[in-house]
Amino acid sequence: MALMITDECINCDVCEPECPNGAISMGEEIYEIDPDLCTECVGHYEESQCVEVCPVDCIIVDPNHQETEEELRAKYERITGESA
């Protein structure tokens, strides 16, 4: 499942540099996560790095982009060109 940032985001800027896939960027008002690039850090880390550093816990699973572990791993391989 891709993650999403809720409107509770305080724009603290700590999540964006932590994303190994470059899925996080500044939106019109708050940071946003591109579901086509978000793998929940599968292939990179055991835990989602943005969730780990978020001081307000505003990063949640995106109910509109539910994916299995296998789908996330396939997305990781497609994005990076590497096998996990």
Side-chain angles (χ1 to χ4, degrees):
M1 289 170 259
L3 299 174
M4 65 179 284
I5 298 174
T6 68
D7 60 5
E8 293 160 10
C9 175
I10 59 172
N11 294 323
C12 67
D13 304 321
V14 298
C15 62
E16 184 180 24
E18 295 300 318
C19 182
N21 297 327
I24 301 174
S25 62
M26 188 64 194
E28 284 189 33
E29 295 182 23
I30 60 173
Y31 278 91
E32 298 175 347
I33 298 176
D34 181 342
D36 293 332
L37 295 175
C38 179
T39 62
E40 293 188 47
C41 289
V42 168
H44 294 284
Y45 302 102
E46 292 294 317
E47 301 291 329
S48 299
Q49 297 301 287
C50 59
V51 173
E52 292 289 309
V53 299
C54 181
V56 293
D57 296 324
C58 68
I59 303 173
I60 61 171
V61 171
D62 184 344
N64 297 318
H65 294 94
Q66 296 190 17
E67 298 166 287
T68 65
E69 176 90 14
E70 292 77 25
E71 290 171 318
L72 292 171
R73 188 158 306 280
K75 190 190 305 185
Y76 161 81
E77 291 174 2
R78 187 176 67 251
I79 292 169
T80 65
E82 299 176 17
S83 292

